Every structure is written in C-alpha cells, then in structure tokens.
Amino acid sequence: MDFENLIQRYRDTLSSHILTIWQTKRARKNEENKENEEYRENEVSDLQAIDPEVEPLSWGWVCARVAEMLVHTPHGLTEPVILNQLLSQWQETSVTYRKGVLKSFSSLCTVSPRINTKIRDYELIVRNIKHINFEKSIHKFILSEYSDNRSIVDMFVPPRLCRFINGGYNSNLFDKKYRRIRFNRASLSKTASSLTFLHTSNIITMLTPSEEVLIDTLFTDSIADVLPTDIKNGRGYQFWTRVVYIGAKEPADIPGFCNKVCVYVRDMLSSQCATLVLLDDKIRMTTLFKTGDFLGIHWPYINIEDTYHEEIILHYGDLTVLFCLPMSELCKRGNSKFKHFTKNKFNYQDNSYMIDYKFNYDRFFIKTLPLRGMNVTLYGKVDDILNNSPLILNNGKQIDRYTIKFSDKTGSQQITLWGKVGREIAEYHIGQYIVLEGLNTWKKNNGEWEINGDASSGAMVYNVSMAKGWLAVSSLHSCSLSLATITNHQHIYQFICRCLVTGWETNDDSFDINWRLDDGTGVIWAKAVGTVSQDILHSSGIETLTDSLIKTKLNKGHLGTNLIGKMLWCCISILALGKYQINAVLADYSDGSHSIAQADCARMLKELF
C-alpha cells in the first residue's frame, strides 16, 4: 500500500462514518417534525433534498489533511485517531462553503439591542417603503424575514440607494414583490419607537433570473469602453460582471485607509477583467456574495490614473450601488432555460472565471486540470527544482519565485511557487513526493498552462516522503515491500521497507553518506538526504554531531558498534539510473527475532559479525 491508496481508504471509511451520522440526524429530525405541528413547509422540503454531507469526501481535501497530520506528527498516529480528527475537521467545515450553493445569514431573532453586539449578515425582504421626509429624501424600508408579515423590522434607506431611486434609473425597483436585500454593519436605532436599523453603506440589492430586461437596460456599459476623458467629464458607468476571485485582506497602500480586499471581476460584455477594491469597513461586504455570483456595479469610482494600467481599478465609492444575482438562483429547479442561454450576460456555464475546487470530489491529475481553477490539490513527484528567479515589483520590492517540474502518473508540468511556499520547496530533493494544496490553474489561449501557488492565496506544501508520521502508521507496515521486489520491479518510484543498517560509505566531495541496507531478500546502497543521517545516529543512541564529525567517526569506525544491525523503517525513492535515496527513517524497536519481510535474520547477523 502507498500513500495514494491510504488516502482512498481513509476517504471511503470516513464517508461511511459521515453517512451513518447524517442518517441518524435525519431520522431524529423527522421525529421532531412529526411532534411539532408548527414546522414550516420549506423545512420539510429541505429534508427531502440531498444533504451535502452524504456525498463522498473530496479526495484532495482528505489528501491534504492526512499529509498535514503525518508531517506534523513525526511519531505517527493510530488509524482511529486519524479518522476521528478527519471527521471532526469535516464537520467543523461549513457545508455551505463546501458546496458553494448558499450563504448563511442571521435570523431576525438576533435583531435586539440586547444581543445585537456583533456584526451580522442579513438577507431580508423589502415589504414596503415608508416615506419619512420627501424634501430630505429620507425613507424607511419595511423588512421581513418571510413572505408574510411576520417579524417586521424597519431600516433607514441608505443615501446611495435613495439617490439611485430618485435618479430615475429604476424608480420602481422596490415595487417588485419580495425584493431581497443583503446587508451588514447596520446598528440599531436607540430612539425609534420600533426596532429600526440605521442605514449602512454595506448593502446589496438582490436580482432574480427572471429580471433579464432590467439587467439588460440597467447595465449597458463595457469595461473595454472606459476612457480617461469620459471619467474626467464625470461620466458614470454601470457594469455587469461576474466574481472571479475574492482576495485576502492586505495593507491598503492608499492614504487614509488601513486595509483592503481586491475582488477580481470579469465584465460579461467585453470579457475583460477588472478589480473592485473594498476598503476598511467595506471589506465586510465580501460575506454577502461569493465566487461565481453575478455582480452589477452601478457608478463605481474610477481613478483616471488607474485607467492607464492594463486592468481597470474600480472603487466602491459614495455613489456606488451593488446588485447581485447569485449563481445558486440559476442552479435551482425551474431555471433550466438558463442552462443553455447563449447571451454572455447570463452564461453562467462559461469557463472564464475561477471555480473554487477546494472540495471537488474527484482527484485532479496533470492531464485533468480545470481550465480556470483555484484551490486545486495535486499529489505527485518533484522531478526538478529551478533556482530562485525573484520578481521585482513596481515599488522596488521583490518576491521570491521558484519553478519546479512536477509529475504524476498522467504526465508532468511546471509549477510556479511564490514567496514562503517557494522557499520551503527549495529545501526539498528531487524524487520526493509532495502534496500541493491551494494551487491556481489557468489554460491560456495558446494551450499553455499556468499553475501557481502563493501562501497569500492559501497555497500549502506537504512533503510526504520526509514525513516520519506515515512510517509509523501500522496499516502500512504489513504492506511494506521487500528489496527483492523493488529491484525486480520497473514501475515503483517510492516505497517503504523494514531493513538493517549493514554498512556505509562517505563521499569526500560532499557531506552525503550512502548507507548499505539489507532486509534478507536483497541489498541496496541508498544516499541519505536532509537530516536522515543525523536521525539514524540519534536512533542508535549517538549524540547529534556535525556533518564533518560524522564523516570522521564513520571513516574511523568509531560508530560501528552502535550502527551495525540497527533496524529501521525507511521511506526510499528510486531515482534515475537505478539510484536510491533515503528520505526519512524511523527506528524500529520491535523484537528483532521476528521476520523482517520474510528476511533470514540469522544469515544477516552471521554476515555482520
């Protein structure tokens, strides 16, 4: 058994556990609904739908989590512990995030001065608009959580929406029955006679798939048509875009502001991309939409200087109004007409945006990479590591850039790793197997692939070959391979074996040490990389030594008594030209009289002494 098969077995076992848990929860929920006569009809329909937890677990997610555990736990974990940790992590992960279908919003029961102490996200229905002062353009929304009049709450209409409504763009926008809005960062009024939200700038008006005419008439501008002269003359733009990627919070680098988040969007009219910048308190708006959603941007602020760059920079200014058509609305039953819609504005099946594959069920290989993907996980072998070729930024700073040649059973591809991830992988060795998590993939028009990984976008790397933890997994011990099998097999590149140290040789030109390993069925010479030689010495009760002192003592035979006959579990890679490389070792303290992969211990000990 190898690491790939171990992951597959863990996924199958874990999926079975989760299915059992979900069936128990569903049975309990059904019993509660039978006893409760006031349960809502939509809750019953939810029970009849397929629960995301029933579906098999993502291969990539399990692969990355198991690799992480085995790398960070050098003495290993038992299989029950591994499975329990995986189960706990999976249950803690948001189902809505895994499936990317819905977002979680707070209930109106949280709207209370006593408990409304933290920022919450709300999605409510506008039941009516109450005019407070026509001259000052003060209006109130009458909001409810459901389509009836239960749980009514008021909200002062934000000035940006008042200007939009009074500006004649679409004065009857909120006349539509059950118009929804999403908002956060809204405080409660302490002087109003009833529960009332104060106006907030973090608000988005929701659209539905049936409002094609409204979207066509409202969002008429293309990013390709943005001109500095028009911006200088005060022209306002209305763009219909799609969310490509939501970046991480970073320093703003803009006077007067602390932090920013860049939301990368694609213009559905011109196919060009732009960046919507959200600053400080506006950053919280990223919880109101997700990657893949359609985003209508009315009157963004555009800096004239930014238009000279290749990519347009849009700012959420004082006049900006956002609209959102969630992709989940298009995926619901009854909206099948959109599945084959050819108009670019509503073509939600296009491959021009980055899809989040963090919880994709199938495993990705080099030959099955998504055309536009983020959070892609790959498992394979390091074939080459190129030297650092740092990129110089416009501000004079530089960022490290490493390129590796990576392969799996389907092929090979170059991957660019930036910053911390690149520096980490530069310490690895050719022939080692790694798990790369959080990669971005992009197939260009000329057919070439770009695969990038950066810690700022969630990229992580785990070196399976160097992970001592998986040498201690008991299920792998019975499946270790004998050296006779390895030397006669042409398609094995990494294996685990239990063997004895029977000799060594040193290289005068380097600090590399070659170790002679014997399991009774065969003998190989393998080069130790990294700290493996130190680990072998330490497992034999020898104090930690410098590389030069190790070579001196080995050459003089001072360490022979401690090392000869030492039994180890080894993770070994097979390199080109039939050479072997020891990536990690773990001392075996079991009874040496037992068979070592059917090895003849008596023969080995006789040769040794």
Side-chain angles (χ1 to χ4, degrees):
M1 179 185 295
D2 57 11
F3 183 75
E4 297 181 55
N5 292 327
L6 181 74
I7 296 304
Q8 184 64 46
R9 194 179 71 177
Y10 280 170
R11 185 176 75 165
D12 294 343
T13 305
L14 193 59
S15 295
S16 176
H17 287 347
I18 289 179
L19 176 60
T20 302
I21 293 173
W22 180 81
Q23 289 173 336
T24 303
K25 285 168 36 179
R26 181 176 181 179
R28 187 184 302 117
K29 186 69 175 178
N30 284 333
E31 289 298 324
E32 292 176 356
N33 285 336
K34 290 179 182 179
E35 298 174 359
N36 183 4
E37 297 179 356
E38 298 180 356
Y39 69 92
R40 295 192 299 272
E41 183 178 347
N42 64 325
E43 288 182 338
V44 177
S45 62
D46 287 343
L47 284 172
Q48 297 172 347
I50 297 178
D51 193 300
E53 289 193 11
V54 180
E55 299 183 5
L57 274 70
S58 158
W59 195 97
W61 184 87
V62 176
C63 178
R65 298 291 72 76
V66 172
E68 182 181 24
M69 279 187 272
L70 298 182
V71 166
H72 294 152
T73 313
H75 297 294
L77 296 170
T78 63
E79 287 198 62
V81 172
I82 292 176
L83 290 173
N84 283 331
Q85 287 195 21
L86 287 173
L87 180 60
S88 176
Q89 291 183 46
W90 184 257
Q91 289 177 320
E92 289 175 0
T93 304
S94 168
V95 173
T96 57
Y97 178 74
R98 289 205 308 265
K99 299 305 295 178
V101 174
L102 300 173
K103 296 189 76 68
S104 179
F105 296 95
S106 297
S107 169
L108 275 180
C109 66
T110 64
V111 182
S112 167
R114 181 174 56 85
I115 63 176
N116 196 54
T117 57
K118 69 175 184 178
I119 299 173
R120 290 182 169 86
D121 298 334
Y122 294 98
E123 181 181 89
L124 300 177
I125 298 172
V126 178
R127 303 290 299 160
N128 198 0
I129 296 182
K130 185 188 298 183
H131 303 284
I132 306 298
N133 189 319
F134 283 97
E135 294 182 359
K136 296 183 178 180
S137 188
I138 300 177
H139 310 283
K140 274 188 180 180
F141 282 141
I142 310 301
L143 305 174
S144 69
E145 192 169 8
Y146 309 108
S147 57
D148 54 24
N149 288 324
R150 290 180 294 169
S151 305
I152 296 296
V153 66
D154 296 340
M155 178 183 182
F156 284 104
V157 178
R160 63 184 67 235
L161 273 180
C162 287
R163 285 191 290 265
F164 179 85
I165 296 172
N166 297 334
Y169 294 100
N170 199 289
S171 57
N172 61 348
L173 179 67
F174 292 96
D175 292 344
K176 175 182 172 62
K177 193 176 183 180
Y178 307 144
R179 171 69 67 195
R180 292 174 298 148
I181 59 173
R182 291 177 180 178
F183 63 92
N184 56 34
R185 293 193 65 84
S187 302
L188 290 174
S189 172
K190 297 181 179 179
T191 59
S193 58
S194 60
L195 280 176
T196 303
F197 282 112
L198 299 177
H199 65 73
T200 174
S201 59
N202 290 15
I203 186 168
I204 297 180
T205 303
M206 307 305 293
L207 301 174
T208 65
S210 62
E211 297 182 284
E212 302 171 52
V213 176
L214 171 63
I215 294 172
D216 262 337
T217 56
L218 187 57
F219 304 102
T220 57
D221 296 319
S222 166
I223 290 177
D225 299 331
V226 175
L227 298 174
T229 53
D230 290 338
I231 297 174
K232 191 173 182 179
N233 293 331
R235 176 183 172 180
Y237 291 91
Q238 300 85 34
F239 303 118
W240 183 247
T241 68
R242 189 161 193 184
V243 180
V244 173
Y245 179 67
I246 302 173
K249 184 168 70 172
E250 57 183 307
D253 293 332
I254 300 176
F257 297 95
C258 297
N259 301 300
K260 70 175 181 180
V261 164
C262 294
V263 180
Y264 302 95
V265 296
R266 173 185 178 264
D267 177 28
M268 298 303 290
L269 287 182
S270 68
S271 297
Q272 287 190 216
C273 288
T275 301
L276 174 64
V277 178
L278 301 177
L279 298 167
D280 290 347
D281 59 328
K282 308 300 190 300
I283 291 175
R284 279 285 303 184
M285 294 191 73
T286 56
T287 62
L288 302 178
F289 55 86
K290 60 180 177 58
T291 301
D293 286 350
F294 291 96
L295 205 62
I297 309 175
H298 173 84
W299 274 49
Y301 169 71
I302 306 176
N303 192 328
I304 296 179
E305 296 179 359
D306 291 336
T307 60
Y308 293 102
H309 297 291
E310 294 182 359
E311 194 172 279
I312 297 295
I313 308 297
L314 311 175
H315 292 269
Y316 185 67
D318 293 337
L319 301 179
T320 309
V321 179
L322 293 185
F323 299 81
C324 179
L325 174 57
M327 186 171 65
S328 57
E329 291 291 326
L330 296 171
C331 297
K332 288 181 179 178
R333 294 177 184 177
N335 294 326
S336 58
K337 66 177 182 176
F338 287 91
K339 292 184 178 179
H340 304 288
F341 211 95
T342 57
K343 289 182 65 175
N344 287 337
K345 275 191 176 182
F346 304 97
N347 183 14
Y348 78 96
Q349 288 190 326
D350 69 288
N351 292 318
S352 59
Y353 68 96
M354 301 283 280
I355 302 176
D356 190 342
Y357 287 101
K358 186 176 182 64
F359 299 106
N360 187 67
Y361 167 68
D362 294 318
R363 176 185 175 184
F364 284 116
F365 294 94
I366 294 297
K367 295 299 184 183
T368 60
L369 290 173
L371 300 179
R372 308 283 191 274
M374 62 181 184
N375 283 323
V376 173
T377 298
L378 292 174
Y379 170 68
K381 181 162 60 80
V382 177
D383 292 329
D384 196 9
I385 304 174
L386 303 183
N387 293 329
N388 184 19
S389 55
L391 177 68
I392 307 298
L393 305 179
N394 293 332
N395 58 9
K397 297 180 181 179
Q398 72 176 32
I399 180 172
D400 292 326
R401 175 176 54 183
Y402 290 86
T403 301
I404 66 169
K405 187 176 181 182
F406 177 92
S407 66
D408 57 27
K409 62 181 69 176
T410 67
S412 63
Q413 182 67 45
Q414 286 193 341
I415 300 177
T416 302
L417 300 167
W418 300 85
K420 176 184 175 182
V421 180
R423 291 190 296 271
E424 186 174 352
I425 208 167
E427 302 297 323
Y428 296 164
H429 298 270
I430 294 172
Q432 293 180 335
Y433 279 75
I434 61 173
V435 175
L436 282 165
E437 180 184 26
L439 297 175
N440 293 335
T441 64
W442 186 281
K443 189 173 185 180
K444 297 185 288 188
N445 293 333
N446 60 6
E448 294 182 1
W449 281 95
E450 284 190 7
I451 308 176
N452 293 276
D454 190 339
S456 63
S457 58
M460 299 287 289
V461 58
Y462 308 103
N463 192 319
V464 175
S465 296
M466 294 175 63
K468 300 177 187 177
W470 82 303
L471 294 177
V473 178
S474 58
S475 61
L476 292 177
H477 292 174
S478 60
C479 303
S480 60
L481 299 176
S482 67
L483 294 180
T485 302
I486 297 301
T487 53
N488 295 323
H489 205 291
Q490 301 297 321
H491 302 289
I492 295 178
Y493 303 101
Q494 177 174 276
F495 62 96
I496 287 178
C497 111
R498 185 179 182 224
C499 52
L500 297 178
V501 175
T502 60
W504 56 82
E505 62 182 17
T506 60
N507 189 330
D508 294 333
D509 298 327
S510 68
F511 290 115
D512 295 334
I513 300 173
N514 293 326
W515 297 91
R516 187 175 187 270
L517 305 177
D518 190 336
D519 73 342
T521 69
V523 177
I524 63 171
W525 284 91
K527 182 183 73 172
V529 296
T531 62
V532 169
S533 293
Q534 292 277 8
D535 293 336
I536 294 175
L537 293 173
H538 186 68
S539 66
S540 303
I542 301 173
E543 61 183 277
T544 302
L545 305 172
T546 63
D547 289 336
S548 59
L549 193 56
I550 289 175
K551 290 186 63 177
T552 300
K553 288 184 174 290
L554 286 175
N555 288 333
K556 293 182 179 181
H558 293 168
L559 303 179
T561 304
N562 301 73
L563 290 174
I564 295 297
K566 182 62 184 178
M567 192 177 298
L568 301 170
W569 283 102
C570 301
C571 174
I572 298 176
S573 294
I574 303 178
L575 308 179
L577 304 177
K579 295 183 178 180
Y580 298 91
Q581 173 179 284
I582 312 177
N583 301 298
V585 295
L586 192 68
D588 182 11
Y589 297 104
S590 60
D591 186 358
S593 63
H594 292 289
S595 64
I596 307 175
Q598 289 76 47
D600 183 359
C601 295
R603 179 191 64 78
M604 286 191 294
L605 294 175
K606 183 178 180 180
E607 289 182 359
L608 293 176
F609 300 104

